[in-house]
Amino acid sequence: MTSAAVLLSLSSCDLDLKQMDQVHPEHFFTDAASLDAWMNYCYKEFDGQESMLRDADDFISAHPSEFLAGTRTPATQTWDWSVLTQINRYHQYKSLCKDEEAIARYDAEAMFFHALFYADKVRQFGDVPYYDSMVGPDAAPVATDRDIIMTDVCDEFLEASEELTDEVFDIPVRINRWVALGFMARAALFEGTYLKYSDEEGWDYYLKECVKACEKIMDSGKFRIYTATGWKSNNAYRNLFAMETMAPEEALLVKLYDTDVCPSQIDMIFGRERLGATSRFVNHYQLLNGKGIQDVRSGYESEDINEVFQARDP
């Protein structure tokens, strides 16, 4: 092919065509369904049992996390900012949607997930860069004081709770007002106790905010302890771990598994991961009379595996 022919063929191409394998904002953020699909990505921010197995000191896998082993270093740590990018990109393009009611709804969800993201980052790393809008690739990350971040986290959870629906869904798999208050209580409890036992000031603010959030949930009258009347009513506690769906009055939010894909994790958890519980964990479970085993049974520390469960809460 001659040079002239090559130039002619290039000049006939439309170099402004958009790639078909990418999402283009002006074509995507146009209606409520698109905003819903975009924000659904943020649900990956919720931990399942993995966080308990990684970071708990009473119930651990055969390979304790670096948090527990005390071997964590900057070189061994990674952090994922994809959820924050998703949230801030939503704010960047949401005005393309003309459905104001939908924008208000997903603004509340975005606010919740922004607070959740930073509550987790501060818990793991302390002071971190704090963003509430998109930044360029050349932006230099600057750490923000954790107290500034956590104050904003509590404010965002609270504001989101006021904007989100107070409906309790039949299957609690989507965030609502009560989920926002529950995660606010968790974040405030962590920060308050962290400051208190680090001999730092300001801890009482967070603990008071935790109490307020919990009181709002309890005073709603929408939640109660599951009692399992009827089928296997004497096994209410066991049923919590065996039901296909969770009773909406028992749980604020659940991670629902597709039984066709993952019918049960029990065999994998105990067979492959080789989990173990400490004596202290087991002793959180009271006796049938409501008292702790350490309070009424002398010598319980030396009881064998059969004896230690006698007269315990089933």
Side-chain angles (χ1 to χ4, degrees), residues 6 29 34 47 58-59 82 100 105 108 112 141 166 175 182 184 196 227 232 235 238 252 262 276 278-279 296 303:
V6 170
F29 292 87
S34 298
D47 283 324
D58 268 344
F59 186 58
S82 60
E100 294 183 0
R105 171 184 173 183
F112 168 87
D166 64 354
I175 61 173
M184 176 184 174
K196 180 177 176 62
T227 56
K232 293 186 177 179
N235 288 324
R238 179 187 180 279
L252 296 178
C262 183
T278 65
S279 295
V296 297
E303 292 180 345

Side-chain angles (χ1 to χ4, degrees), residues 8-9 41 49 54-55 62 64 69 84 141 144 151 155 174 180 190 200 202 204 206 227 234 248 258 260 275 282 309:
L8 181 61
S9 66
Y41 175 87
Q49 66 176 15
R54 284 198 313 268
D55 305 332
L84 183 64
T144 300
T151 300
D155 289 343
R174 195 167 190 92
F190 177 87
E200 297 187 32
D204 53 335
Y206 292 104
T227 56
N234 61 326
D258 187 334
D260 293 331
L275 301 185
V282 174
F309 292 109

Side-chain angles (χ1 to χ4, degrees), residues 244-258:
E244 290 188 4
T245 60
M246 179 65 70
E249 69 273 12
E250 167 70 29
L252 296 178
L253 188 72
V254 300
K255 189 174 184 178
L256 193 63
Y257 289 87
D258 187 334

Side-chain angles (χ1 to χ4, degrees), residues 41-42 44-45 80-88 113 117:
Y41 175 87
C42 296
K44 73 187 288 290
E45 187 72 0
D80 183 356
W81 293 73
S82 60
V83 167
L84 183 64
T85 300
Q86 193 84 357
I87 295 166
N88 290 339
F113 283 115
F117 175 87

Side-chain angles (χ1 to χ4, degrees), residues 140-286:
V142 178
T144 300
D145 183 85
R146 67 181 296 151
D147 187 57
I148 295 175
I149 297 176
M150 290 306 295
T151 300
D152 281 355
V153 162
C154 289
D155 289 343
E156 284 191 309
F157 274 136
L158 182 59
E159 187 174 348
S161 74
E162 294 171 348
E163 299 297 330
L164 289 166
T165 178
D166 64 354
E167 178 184 359
V168 176
F169 306 110
D170 291 338
I171 302 177
V173 294
R174 195 167 190 92
I175 61 173
N176 56 18
R177 180 185 188 194
W178 316 111
V179 174
L181 288 171
F183 276 90
M184 176 184 174
R186 176 180 291 183
L189 177 62
F190 177 87
E191 191 65 11
T193 52
Y194 169 82
L195 293 175
K196 180 177 176 62
Y197 296 110
S198 299
D199 292 326
E200 297 187 32
E201 297 180 352
W203 57 267
D204 53 335
Y205 161 77
Y206 292 104
L207 296 187
K208 288 176 181 177
E209 290 301 305
C210 173
V211 170
K212 291 178 184 177
C214 291
E215 287 178 339
K216 288 180 180 179
I217 296 173
M218 292 186 292
D219 292 345
S220 74
K222 295 179 181 290
F223 304 95
R224 62 180 183 274
I225 298 297
Y226 172 69
T227 56
T229 55
W231 181 74
K232 293 186 177 179
S233 58
N234 61 326
N235 288 324
Y237 185 71
R238 179 187 180 279
N239 292 345
L240 287 175
F241 302 92
M243 292 186 293
E244 290 188 4
T245 60
M246 179 65 70
E249 69 273 12
E250 167 70 29
L252 296 178
L253 188 72
V254 300
K255 189 174 184 178
L256 193 63
Y257 289 87
D258 187 334
T259 55
D260 293 331
V261 177
C262 183
S264 175
Q265 288 190 307
I266 298 300
D267 59 338
M268 181 186 71
I269 290 173
F270 288 98
R272 299 180 188 178
E273 295 189 16
R274 293 171 292 169
L275 301 185
T278 65
S279 295
R280 187 175 67 175
F281 178 88
V282 174
N283 290 337
H284 290 324
Y285 290 83
Q286 299 173 330

